[in-house]
């Protein structure tokens, strides 16, 4: 069974608008970490932002922010004022404490196209 | 800091040949991961080392694939008797290994098996 699920295969948005990408995860662990990564057209995978399960505040880094809804096991990525260079594939990932934080579980990714 | 280094960036092998892929993690990172990425399967976990010790190889195909980390500065992924279905981008990532830390990915090695 998929531990991390991204249901949106692809999204297109107009430049300078806000986009939200969905991600749901499965875990029995009380302590875990959630991550979002971006893969550019060149193939480079870059870490964007992370959320610690024990923190209630949503993480924010630059124009990336998270919508962490723990009861729903959901961690959405919000990109505000999108730019052309935000066009990429975005991956959600989870790391659980009960595995000793050994494994990263990745979603299948959501392809974002920002239209000028 | 040069980031995670992977060599070669591209490798073409004939069916049945051996391929060895190299990864140099970020200095000071104790955890090294190998992944395989294809269009169909997405990002697949292969194996994981911590402090050079193999911790989890549950994603490795049992035959033909092996990984080693002989020292803290490099890891290798070896594929024996390569098959066309092994064609993929192989990604190496490293992290501090302190628990909830993020991974830093290398640029990947694109393996093409003819």
């Amino acid at each position: 069974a998929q531990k991390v699920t991204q249901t949106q295969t692809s999204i297109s948005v107009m430049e300078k608008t806000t986009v939200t990408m969905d991600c749901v995860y499965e875990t029995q662990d009380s302590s875990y970490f959630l991550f979002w990564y971006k893969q550019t057209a060149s193939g480079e995978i870059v870490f964007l932002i992370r959320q610690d399960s024990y923190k209630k505040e949503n993480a924010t880094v630059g124009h990336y922010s998270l919508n962490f809804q723990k009861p729903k096991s959901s961690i959405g990525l919000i990109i505000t004022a999108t730019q052309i260079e935000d066009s990429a594939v975005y991956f959600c990932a989870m790391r659980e404490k009960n595995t000793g934080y050994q494994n990263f579980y990745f979603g299948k990714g959501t392809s974002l196209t920002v239209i000028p | 800091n040069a980031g995670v280094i992977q060599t070669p960036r591209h490798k073409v092998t004939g069916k049945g040949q051996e391929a060895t892929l190299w990864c140099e993690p970020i200095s000071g990172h104790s955890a090294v991961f190998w992944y395989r990425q294809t269009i169909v399967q997405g990002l697949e976990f292969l194996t994981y080392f911590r402090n050079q010790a193999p911790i989890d190889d549950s994603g490795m195909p049992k035959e033909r694939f092996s990984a080693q980390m002989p020292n803290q500065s490099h890891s290798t992924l070896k594929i024996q008797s390569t098959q066309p279905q092994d064609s993929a981008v192989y990604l190496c990532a490293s992290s501090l290994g302190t628990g909830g830390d993020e991974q830093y990915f290398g640029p990947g090695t694109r393996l093409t098996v003819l």
Side-chain angles (χ1 to χ4, degrees), chain B residues 10-97:
Chain B
H10 303 273
K11 187 169 183 67
V12 180
T13 66
K15 183 178 176 181
Q17 293 182 328
E18 182 178 288
T20 299
L21 313 180
W22 292 71
C23 171
E24 181 179 330
I26 293 173
S27 177
H29 282 193
S30 65
V32 172
F33 303 78
W34 283 95
Y35 294 89
R36 176 169 63 181
Q37 186 176 34
T38 61
I39 297 294
V40 174
Q41 297 295 332
L43 203 56
E44 296 178 277
F45 166 79
L46 293 176
T47 189
Y48 162 64
F49 294 87
R50 185 169 181 178
N51 294 322
Q52 299 172 231
I55 303 298
D56 183 355
D57 66 354
S58 59
M60 293 274 275
K62 295 309 176 189
E63 296 179 356
R64 303 188 295 106
F65 283 65
S66 62
Q68 294 183 328
M69 192 164 184
N71 56 59
Q72 64 185 8
S73 63
H74 90 272
S75 176
T76 58
L77 178 67
K78 183 182 290 186
I79 309 172
Q80 295 178 313
S81 185
T82 53
Q83 302 298 310
Q85 61 265 30
D86 298 330
S87 296
V89 175
Y90 290 83
L91 291 153
C92 176
S94 71
S95 72
L96 285 169

Side-chain angles (χ1 to χ4, degrees), chain A residues 68-99:
Chain A
F68 181 39
Q69 299 184 58
K70 195 169 183 179
K72 295 182 178 181
S73 296
S74 170
I75 184 73
L77 173 68
I78 302 167
I79 307 177
T80 56
T82 51
Q83 304 162 7
I84 302 299
E85 51 267 33
D86 291 326
S87 296
V89 177
Y90 291 81
F91 292 96
C92 176
M94 174 178 68
R95 205 172 194 190
E96 297 170 305
K97 184 178 181 181
N98 68 1
T99 60

